[in-house]
Amino acid sequence: MTNDPPGRSRPSSNDLILPVVAAALVDIEGRVLLQQRPEGKSLAGLWEFPGGKVEPGETPEAALIRELEEELAIAVPHACLAPAAFASAPLGDRHLLLLLYITRKWSGVPRAIEATALRWVRPTDMHALPMPPADRPLIGLLDALI
């Protein structure tokens, strides 16, 4: 039994939770690639892990492979994506669920296709950068993993 008013349907969890995937691309020196959000988008100017929304019917891994191709023009094999951590944060009237994967292997050279800029950063140096609220809790976990 719910406490919803009569005639009013309750939003499903699919409507409330926004699944997003992101990658920590780690280079040979232990640095992680961050991208800067472009002007005109929410959170413009902040530095974030590359990735994006999981589309309906898409697995998180397939979404991340697609997003990395679209945003950075790189190809990442499914087998090279290692689940690392997740973050949860309010986002307006929805809730963001961010799944972070680590990869050390990809083909191509990352290019800023949708981002303003790219930067290779050590996890300990990420604390000094302006980052979205959902990305911040992942810094310490990422530092411990790589």
Side-chain angles (χ1 to χ4, degrees), residues 22-109:
L25 281 78
V26 182
D27 72 4
I28 196 162
E29 296 175 30
R31 298 175 305 170
V32 176
L33 184 70
L34 296 179
Q35 64 182 12
Q36 189 174 36
R37 292 185 61 82
E39 292 300 319
K41 285 199 169 189
S42 67
L43 307 174
L46 299 185
W47 291 91
E48 67 179 357
F49 302 107
K53 295 176 189 168
V54 178
E55 299 295 336
E58 206 173 29
T59 65
E61 296 82 4
L64 187 53
I65 290 167
R66 175 185 51 75
E67 288 285 350
L68 294 173
E69 172 66 33
E70 292 172 2
E71 291 183 0
L72 301 174
I74 61 170
V76 178
H78 183 280
C80 295
L81 291 174
F86 77 93
S88 178
L91 185 66
D93 60 350
R94 299 180 80 186
H95 200 86
L96 177 85
L97 179 61
L98 174 62
L99 307 173
L100 181 68
Y101 291 78
I102 291 178
T103 187
R104 295 175 186 272
K105 293 183 181 180
W106 58 88
S107 58
V109 176

Side-chain angles (χ1 to χ4, degrees), residues 10-19 54-57 93-97:
R10 194 171 195 197
S12 73
S13 62
N14 291 342
D15 296 329
L16 296 176
I17 296 176
L18 177 63
V54 178
E55 299 295 336
D93 60 350
R94 299 180 80 186
H95 200 86
L96 177 85
L97 179 61

